Amino acid sequence: MKKRIIALSMAVMIVLSQTVSAVNFTDITNHWAKDSIMTLAKKGVVNGVTDTEFMPDGAVTRAQYLKMIMEATGVKTAPVRTGECLDADKNDWYCDYLQGALDCGLIPKDMVTGYSESVDYKVDENGNATYTKVIYKGAFNGDLPIKREEMAVLTQYMYQYTRTILTNSKTLSGKKTVFADNDKISEWAKVSVAQAVENGFMDGMDDNMFNPSFTATRAQAATVILRVLNK
């Protein structure tokens, strides 16, 4: 029996090895993010759009990035609850990710169209609160392409949340960045952008521009996720 188990384990390892080595995206050969993409693909963290195409310069949606950054940082999902998950419901593949992020207060209100919140609570006979819960309303619009500044905010929120929970420590001051287009970064995103840059998760682009409103690409997302994992 022992020999059989060992043989089976070796067979599984061979299959996994063959699966990993089979990763071969023909459209990233000379791409600046090739190494990051290949590292994550071999780990099974990211997938191609086909077996041979990664589409590195394609857009990433809010929902797709939310899933990636939650898995990278370890933020837990939660079963979707009707009426408590903004515009997502059980038919949306990312609903448990969005519910989990909302439960932890990790979706910035500036990313929610028509944002509002209310508190559901119960009290005992003495008037003491025995149960409280914040319920958010509005639309997350998970299928929208995510902007670079939004990616910075979600990255920093998720990273800081798990770091604080696990180590009870905070990171960095969020000192001002020196990008030529600092004034183009939304006020609500400026601190997170600065911290994400200081943490080494994100960089500027050409001509010292951050380009906060540009759509984040699949290659950029892969690079950020790998940096977070390495952190």
Side-chain angles (χ1 to χ4, degrees), residues 175-187:
K175 62 184 180 182
K176 292 183 178 180
T177 56
V178 292
F179 296 116
D181 58 348
N182 275 344
D183 60 328
K184 302 297 183 183
I185 302 173
S186 300
E187 284 298 325

PDB file of all heavy atoms in Angstrom, residues 175-187:
ATOM      1  N   LYS A 175       2.977  59.787   2.351  1.00  0.00           N
ATOM      2  CA  LYS A 175       3.531  61.083   1.970  1.00  0.00           C
ATOM      3  C   LYS A 175       3.243  61.371   0.501  1.00  0.00           C
ATOM      4  O   LYS A 175       3.024  60.463  -0.296  1.00  0.00           O
ATOM      5  CB  LYS A 175       5.035  61.120   2.229  1.00  0.00           C
ATOM      6  CG  LYS A 175       5.838  60.100   1.427  1.00  0.00           C
ATOM      7  CD  LYS A 175       7.302  60.141   1.832  1.00  0.00           C
ATOM      8  CE  LYS A 175       8.116  59.130   1.045  1.00  0.00           C
ATOM      9  NZ  LYS A 175       9.520  59.115   1.449  1.00  0.00           N
ATOM     10  N   LYS A 176       3.233  62.623   0.134  1.00  0.00           N
ATOM     11  CA  LYS A 176       2.849  63.017  -1.219  1.00  0.00           C
ATOM     12  C   LYS A 176       3.772  62.408  -2.268  1.00  0.00           C
ATOM     13  O   LYS A 176       4.970  62.275  -2.068  1.00  0.00           O
ATOM     14  CB  LYS A 176       2.867  64.543  -1.347  1.00  0.00           C
ATOM     15  CG  LYS A 176       1.779  65.231  -0.545  1.00  0.00           C
ATOM     16  CD  LYS A 176       1.819  66.734  -0.773  1.00  0.00           C
ATOM     17  CE  LYS A 176       0.702  67.430   0.004  1.00  0.00           C
ATOM     18  NZ  LYS A 176       0.726  68.899  -0.197  1.00  0.00           N
ATOM     19  N   THR A 177       3.177  62.017  -3.383  1.00  0.00           N
ATOM     20  CA  THR A 177       3.957  61.525  -4.505  1.00  0.00           C
ATOM     21  C   THR A 177       4.472  62.717  -5.310  1.00  0.00           C
ATOM     22  O   THR A 177       4.048  63.851  -5.106  1.00  0.00           O
ATOM     23  CB  THR A 177       3.097  60.637  -5.419  1.00  0.00           C
ATOM     24  OG1 THR A 177       1.943  61.392  -5.834  1.00  0.00           O
ATOM     25  CG2 THR A 177       2.624  59.393  -4.678  1.00  0.00           C
ATOM     26  N   VAL A 178       5.374  62.450  -6.222  1.00  0.00           N
ATOM     27  CA  VAL A 178       5.978  63.548  -6.993  1.00  0.00           C
ATOM     28  C   VAL A 178       5.690  63.388  -8.483  1.00  0.00           C
ATOM     29  O   VAL A 178       6.481  63.805  -9.323  1.00  0.00           O
ATOM     30  CB  VAL A 178       7.510  63.605  -6.766  1.00  0.00           C
ATOM     31  CG1 VAL A 178       7.815  64.024  -5.335  1.00  0.00           C
ATOM     32  CG2 VAL A 178       8.157  62.247  -7.064  1.00  0.00           C
ATOM     33  N   PHE A 179       4.566  62.792  -8.801  1.00  0.00           N
ATOM     34  CA  PHE A 179       4.209  62.627 -10.203  1.00  0.00           C
ATOM     35  C   PHE A 179       3.817  63.970 -10.808  1.00  0.00           C
ATOM     36  O   PHE A 179       3.273  64.845 -10.132  1.00  0.00           O
ATOM     37  CB  PHE A 179       3.051  61.639 -10.360  1.00  0.00           C
ATOM     38  CG  PHE A 179       3.388  60.246  -9.927  1.00  0.00           C
ATOM     39  CD1 PHE A 179       2.746  59.661  -8.853  1.00  0.00           C
ATOM     40  CD2 PHE A 179       4.369  59.515 -10.595  1.00  0.00           C
ATOM     41  CE1 PHE A 179       3.066  58.379  -8.444  1.00  0.00           C
ATOM     42  CE2 PHE A 179       4.693  58.230 -10.198  1.00  0.00           C
ATOM     43  CZ  PHE A 179       4.048  57.662  -9.118  1.00  0.00           C
ATOM     44  N   ALA A 180       4.108  64.102 -12.083  1.00  0.00           N
ATOM     45  CA  ALA A 180       3.808  65.360 -12.773  1.00  0.00           C
ATOM     46  C   ALA A 180       2.312  65.634 -12.840  1.00  0.00           C
ATOM     47  O   ALA A 180       1.899  66.785 -12.997  1.00  0.00           O
ATOM     48  CB  ALA A 180       4.395  65.323 -14.189  1.00  0.00           C
ATOM     49  N   ASP A 181       1.505  64.569 -12.731  1.00  0.00           N
ATOM     50  CA  ASP A 181       0.052  64.750 -12.796  1.00  0.00           C
ATOM     51  C   ASP A 181      -0.629  64.483 -11.451  1.00  0.00           C
ATOM     52  O   ASP A 181      -1.756  63.983 -11.393  1.00  0.00           O
ATOM     53  CB  ASP A 181      -0.555  63.855 -13.880  1.00  0.00           C
ATOM     54  CG  ASP A 181      -0.257  62.375 -13.666  1.00  0.00           C
ATOM     55  OD1 ASP A 181       0.600  62.049 -12.813  1.00  0.00           O
ATOM     56  OD2 ASP A 181      -0.881  61.542 -14.353  1.00  0.00           O
ATOM     57  N   ASN A 182       0.060  64.818 -10.347  1.00  0.00           N
ATOM     58  CA  ASN A 182      -0.533  64.651  -9.016  1.00  0.00           C
ATOM     59  C   ASN A 182      -1.906  65.289  -8.904  1.00  0.00           C
ATOM     60  O   ASN A 182      -2.801  64.777  -8.229  1.00  0.00           O
ATOM     61  CB  ASN A 182       0.375  65.267  -7.935  1.00  0.00           C
ATOM     62  CG  ASN A 182       1.460  64.303  -7.489  1.00  0.00           C
ATOM     63  OD1 ASN A 182       1.382  63.106  -7.742  1.00  0.00           O
ATOM     64  ND2 ASN A 182       2.472  64.832  -6.842  1.00  0.00           N
ATOM     65  N   ASP A 183      -2.062  66.430  -9.560  1.00  0.00           N
ATOM     66  CA  ASP A 183      -3.329  67.157  -9.462  1.00  0.00           C
ATOM     67  C   ASP A 183      -4.465  66.424 -10.167  1.00  0.00           C
ATOM     68  O   ASP A 183      -5.646  66.779  -9.982  1.00  0.00           O
ATOM     69  CB  ASP A 183      -3.174  68.572 -10.026  1.00  0.00           C
ATOM     70  CG  ASP A 183      -2.766  68.577 -11.503  1.00  0.00           C
ATOM     71  OD1 ASP A 183      -2.053  67.651 -11.927  1.00  0.00           O
ATOM     72  OD2 ASP A 183      -3.167  69.513 -12.224  1.00  0.00           O
ATOM     73  N   LYS A 184      -4.150  65.405 -10.952  1.00  0.00           N
ATOM     74  CA  LYS A 184      -5.174  64.638 -11.653  1.00  0.00           C
ATOM     75  C   LYS A 184      -5.673  63.462 -10.817  1.00  0.00           C
ATOM     76  O   LYS A 184      -6.693  62.842 -11.142  1.00  0.00           O
ATOM     77  CB  LYS A 184      -4.635  64.100 -12.981  1.00  0.00           C
ATOM     78  CG  LYS A 184      -4.110  65.178 -13.936  1.00  0.00           C
ATOM     79  CD  LYS A 184      -5.204  66.134 -14.369  1.00  0.00           C
ATOM     80  CE  LYS A 184      -4.676  67.146 -15.375  1.00  0.00           C
ATOM     81  NZ  LYS A 184      -5.704  68.141 -15.766  1.00  0.00           N
ATOM     82  N   ILE A 185      -4.960  63.140  -9.748  1.00  0.00           N
ATOM     83  CA  ILE A 185      -5.376  62.044  -8.871  1.00  0.00           C
ATOM     84  C   ILE A 185      -6.537  62.513  -8.009  1.00  0.00           C
ATOM     85  O   ILE A 185      -6.468  63.578  -7.393  1.00  0.00           O
ATOM     86  CB  ILE A 185      -4.214  61.570  -7.979  1.00  0.00           C
ATOM     87  CG1 ILE A 185      -3.030  61.112  -8.834  1.00  0.00           C
ATOM     88  CG2 ILE A 185      -4.665  60.438  -7.056  1.00  0.00           C
ATOM     89  CD1 ILE A 185      -1.778  60.796  -8.035  1.00  0.00           C
ATOM     90  N   SER A 186      -7.604  61.749  -7.959  1.00  0.00           N
ATOM     91  CA  SER A 186      -8.772  62.123  -7.157  1.00  0.00           C
ATOM     92  C   SER A 186      -8.382  62.277  -5.692  1.00  0.00           C
ATOM     93  O   SER A 186      -7.557  61.517  -5.175  1.00  0.00           O
ATOM     94  CB  SER A 186      -9.863  61.064  -7.290  1.00  0.00           C
ATOM     95  OG  SER A 186     -10.285  60.925  -8.631  1.00  0.00           O
ATOM     96  N   GLU A 187      -8.994  63.234  -5.012  1.00  0.00           N
ATOM     97  CA  GLU A 187      -8.667  63.497  -3.611  1.00  0.00           C
ATOM     98  C   GLU A 187      -8.821  62.248  -2.754  1.00  0.00           C
ATOM     99  O   GLU A 187      -8.000  61.979  -1.884  1.00  0.00           O
ATOM    100  CB  GLU A 187      -9.550  64.625  -3.066  1.00  0.00           C
ATOM    101  CG  GLU A 187      -9.147  66.018  -3.520  1.00  0.00           C
ATOM    102  CD  GLU A 187      -7.749  66.406  -3.049  1.00  0.00           C
ATOM    103  OE1 GLU A 187      -7.361  66.006  -1.924  1.00  0.00           O
ATOM    104  OE2 GLU A 187      -7.042  67.083  -3.806  1.00  0.00           O
TER     105      GLU A 187
END
